[in-house]
Amino acid sequence: MLGAATRRRVGGVPGRRQPGARPPDRVAARTPSTRVIRAAGAVLWRADGLVAVVHRPRYDDWSLPKGKLDPGETVPAAAVREVREETGFDAVLGRYLATVRYTAFGKPKTVDFFAARAAGGSFAPNDEVDELRWVPVAEAAELVTKDTDRDVLAAYAAEPTDLATVLLVRHAKAGKRDNWPGEDDLRPLSQAGRRQAEGLRALLPLWGPTRVHSAPRTRCVDTVLGVARDLGSQVLVEPRLSEEGYWPDREAGLVRLLEIADGAGVPVVSSQGGVIPDVVATLASLAGLPLTEVPCKKGSVWLLAFRRPEPGWSTSDSSASWPRLVSAHYLPSPLAAPVP
């Protein structure tokens, strides 16, 4: 549990909103042009600290595993699929690393990279890759052909591999409040919201979640209920992370999110549009992490990565006494997947 020092540290930041105020979505999720080639990949790492570099005979180059998105495929799903196809290893995604941009075949191309833990499998030469090497990061940076891959490896090496991951989800669509005759807390997902929830049920397991938390409103719980059922667990209710629970004691809500981040495994946390932007912006501000946009569309996910408290931290007001945000990456609803 995080103590009073954490509560003091997360309090008193600028930009406090009045209790009950709903901060608007500041930026809509961008829809990439279909003329842009979209691809995804990963820095695949093992417990011994080595990372995978592959040789592609078609290009006669050494590269990080990556490849183009299939039609309708999400970026994270493409990263996992391409790693499996090129290396033979199953990947559990971690933090987002970088997006690289360049021109390929006369068209602009973007490649989104994640860190990913090798979770089993074995390499066999295939149509795309004829050799795989497990090497230290510094050696990988010397081996890869493209400078863009070196940049991605530098982003990977900037933080340890044992970061705490939190998947912060805004609930899926639940129709208009005015059209629901009952209590707003009980407003269920709409048909579109149920489709979004099913999309999240396929997307979120790519990070290997181990527990599911949710604000108590029906639409928040139902958005992640399928993920919890697939884990054989129940949804853990978090009153502090609902709009009515967060704003009367904002510091307590932030502390609760940090406590969840500091627990074992990878948590999914379902909350509301009146909470998530403030949580993400505040934690980024406290960590000195530049974050100019905080979109929060229904059915979207913030992929958050934290450095855990240092061993032996005391209750003194120190940055080592609470998980520190090092990466925050926005993932639109899986139903808004780009079409390459």
Side-chain angles (χ1 to χ4, degrees), residues 149-161:
D149 281 353
R150 270 183 279 277
D151 293 339
V152 173
L153 286 164
Y156 169 80
E159 296 292 342
T161 57

Side-chain angles (χ1 to χ4, degrees), residues 172-175 180 183-191 194 218-219 222:
K173 294 181 179 179
W180 172 247
E183 294 182 17
D184 187 57
D185 286 2
L186 303 178
R187 182 154 47 102
L189 297 180
S190 64
Q191 185 175 359
R194 290 192 293 272
T218 296
R219 55 191 179 274
D222 286 354

Side-chain angles (χ1 to χ4, degrees), residues 138-164:
E139 185 175 336
E142 294 180 357
L143 183 59
V144 293
T145 303
K146 292 185 177 180
D147 288 338
T148 51
D149 281 353
R150 270 183 279 277
D151 293 339
V152 173
L153 286 164
Y156 169 80
E159 296 292 342
T161 57
D162 60 344
L163 297 173

Side-chain angles (χ1 to χ4, degrees), residues 52-93:
V53 181
V54 298
H55 182 260
R56 303 182 299 176
R58 178 182 178 185
Y59 304 103
D60 190 23
D61 68 357
W62 287 94
S63 171
L64 298 173
K66 59 181 178 287
K68 292 191 295 183
L69 274 64
D70 288 337
E73 188 176 35
T74 64
V75 169
V80 170
R81 177 184 54 77
E82 286 292 337
V83 166
R84 185 184 305 112
E85 290 178 357
E86 292 193 358
T87 72
F89 286 86
D90 294 323
V92 177
L93 295 181

